[in-house]
């Protein structure tokens, strides 16, 4: 942690790249861990293509989303530490693989959600193909869809064009949002220090962002409980809790 504090003290354009590990410390189960979502649902049934083809899959998807949002989770010390860095002018933002919105709840303002957000829904059009949404632009809070389900509509349609409505997250077989990926590449390219937190760094293309930052001259620190494929590339690897490590290191720099 002292070494991480040293890297932070030397940096002026910190970017955090975060994965599920930072959110599990807020009590959110990892999708594949005991009690996680994919222990109760078969992920193969919830691909983008199956969602488009089957009204039954869409109805089950809203049930799944209700389960996901049934508990109120709060940001933990790791989220708060990263928001402190940004407020202090030492960090330029967060790129996250998570869909829970906890970075924003902690106060981070520049957050790039490469897998979308579970807090909103979006129109994906009448018949999107090749894993690419072609919606009219309609977006609304998740509760908009859940309220319509409660009112007896198991498959809410877009109120603007009548197209299919889906959670604003990236499903299996769905193409990543191009503008979001552009933002992620841009912010990672601006970093002089990238801190990868709570990510296994095995899900691509997202996991290539830390390596890209290094190629652009940034230093790389990895905070994770388990080894990652990029450990040998990193300037520093810290094993431990994201909340403990980040709050201690940021506190040492900012006081």
């Amino acid at each position: 942690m002292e070494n991480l504090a040293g890297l932070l003290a030397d940096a002026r354009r910190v970017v955090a790249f975060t994965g599920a590990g930072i959110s599990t410390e807020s009590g959110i189960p990892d999708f594949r861990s005991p009690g996680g979502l994919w222990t109760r649902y078969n992920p193969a049934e919830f691909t983008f293509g199956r969602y488009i083809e089957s009204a039954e899959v869409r109805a089950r998807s809203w049930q799944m989303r209700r389960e996901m949002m049934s508990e109120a989770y709060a940001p933990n010390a790791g989220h708060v530490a990263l928001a402190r860095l940004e407020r202090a002018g030492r960090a330029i933002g967060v790129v996250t693989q998570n869909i829970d919105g906890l970075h924003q709840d902690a106060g981070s303002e520049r957050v790039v959600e490469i897998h979308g957000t579970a807090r909103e829904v979006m129109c994906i059009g009448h018949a999107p193909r090749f894993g690419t949404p072609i919606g009219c632009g309609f977006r609304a809070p998740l509760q908009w869809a859940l309220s319509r389900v409660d009112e007896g509509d198991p498959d809410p349609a877009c109120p603007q064009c009548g197209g299919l409505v889906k959670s604003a997250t990236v499903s299996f077989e769905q193409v990543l949002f191009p503008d979001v990926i552009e933002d992620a590449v841009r912010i990672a390219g601006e970093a002089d220090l990238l801190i990868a937190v709570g990510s296994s760094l095995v899900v691509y293309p997202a996991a290539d962002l830390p390596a890209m930052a290094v190629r652009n001259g940034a230093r790389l620190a990895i905070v994770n409980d388990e080894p990652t494929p990029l450990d040998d590339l990193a300037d520093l690897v810290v094993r431990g809790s994201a909340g403990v490590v980040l709050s201690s290191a940021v506190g040492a720099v900012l006081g």
Side-chain angles (χ1 to χ4, degrees), residues 6-44:
L7 289 178
L8 288 172
D10 291 339
R12 293 297 179 270
R13 300 185 309 279
V14 179
V15 171
F17 177 84
T18 65
I22 193 170
S23 290
T24 55
E25 294 180 27
S26 288
I28 299 177
D30 182 271
F31 279 82
R32 291 176 174 82
S33 65
L37 204 63
W38 298 140
T39 64
R40 301 190 303 279
Y41 294 90
N42 180 0

Side-chain angles (χ1 to χ4, degrees), residues 192-210:
D192 61 1
L193 171 63
L194 189 140
I195 308 176
V197 183
S199 175
S200 61
L201 300 178
V202 296
V203 179
Y204 284 83
D208 192 46
L209 290 171

Side-chain angles (χ1 to χ4, degrees), residues 224-249:
N224 201 52
D225 282 337
E226 302 291 336
T228 81
L230 297 186
D231 285 359
D232 290 341
L233 184 66
D235 296 272
L236 177 68
V237 176
V238 183
R239 297 277 178 255
S241 155
V244 172
V245 171
L246 291 177
S247 59
S248 296

Side-chain angles (χ1 to χ4, degrees), residues 15 55 107 150 171 176 187 216 229 250:
V15 171
D150 290 341
S171 300
L176 296 171
I187 190 173
N216 287 343
V250 170

Side-chain angles (χ1 to χ4, degrees), residues 60-74:
R60 293 184 64 207
S61 179
W62 294 125
Q63 175 187 343
M64 180 175 66
R65 292 296 166 188
R66 189 188 300 279
E67 282 189 32
M68 287 180 63
M69 307 303 284
S70 62
E71 294 188 44
Y73 297 102

Side-chain angles (χ1 to χ4, degrees), residues 10-245:
D10 291 339
R12 293 297 179 270
R13 300 185 309 279
V14 179
V15 171
F17 177 84
T18 65
I22 193 170
S23 290
T24 55
E25 294 180 27
S26 288
I28 299 177
D30 182 271
F31 279 82
R32 291 176 174 82
S33 65
L37 204 63
W38 298 140
T39 64
R40 301 190 303 279
Y41 294 90
N42 180 0
E45 297 180 3
F46 292 92
T47 65
F48 190 75
R50 290 282 296 136
Y51 190 90
I52 294 163
E53 295 168 356
S54 171
E56 179 184 353
V57 169
R58 294 194 291 275
R60 293 184 64 207
S61 179
W62 294 125
Q63 175 187 343
M64 180 175 66
R65 292 296 166 188
R66 189 188 300 279
E67 282 189 32
M68 287 180 63
M69 307 303 284
S70 62
E71 294 188 44
Y73 297 102
N76 60 60
H79 297 104
V80 172
L82 294 176
R84 284 192 66 198
L85 273 180
E86 186 180 10
R87 286 196 301 272
R90 306 293 290 270
I92 56 178
V94 175
V95 178
T96 186
Q97 297 172 285
N98 299 331
I99 59 175
D100 50 49
L102 293 183
H103 284 296
Q104 293 92 325
D105 289 348
S108 290
E109 295 186 4
R110 189 178 183 187
V111 181
V112 181
E113 297 170 305
I114 53 180
H115 293 151
T117 174
R119 297 186 177 192
E120 294 182 1
V121 300
M122 61 183 289
C123 173
I124 59 172
H126 289 267
R129 301 173 63 197
F130 310 117
T132 303
I134 53 170
C136 66
F138 169 76
R139 291 179 77 103
L142 173 64
Q143 191 56 45
W144 176 89
L146 297 184
S147 294
R148 278 149 184 77
V149 171
D150 290 341
E151 292 165 3
D153 182 0
D155 186 16
C158 174
Q160 294 179 184
C161 74
L164 300 174
V165 172
K166 175 186 168 296
S167 170
T169 55
V170 177
S171 300
F172 294 108
E173 299 180 358
Q174 181 179 337
V175 175
L176 296 171
F177 303 118
D179 56 336
V180 175
I181 296 303
E182 289 175 9
D183 285 345
V185 169
R186 185 180 305 112
I187 190 173
E190 296 172 0
D192 61 1
L193 171 63
L194 189 140
I195 308 176
V197 183
S199 175
S200 61
L201 300 178
V202 296
V203 179
Y204 284 83
D208 192 46
L209 290 171
M212 186 206 73
V214 171
R215 292 194 295 270
N216 287 343
R219 305 180 83 177
L220 173 63
I222 295 175
V223 180
N224 201 52
D225 282 337
E226 302 291 336
T228 81
L230 297 186
D231 285 359
D232 290 341
L233 184 66
D235 296 272
L236 177 68
V237 176
V238 183
R239 297 277 178 255
S241 155
V244 172
V245 171

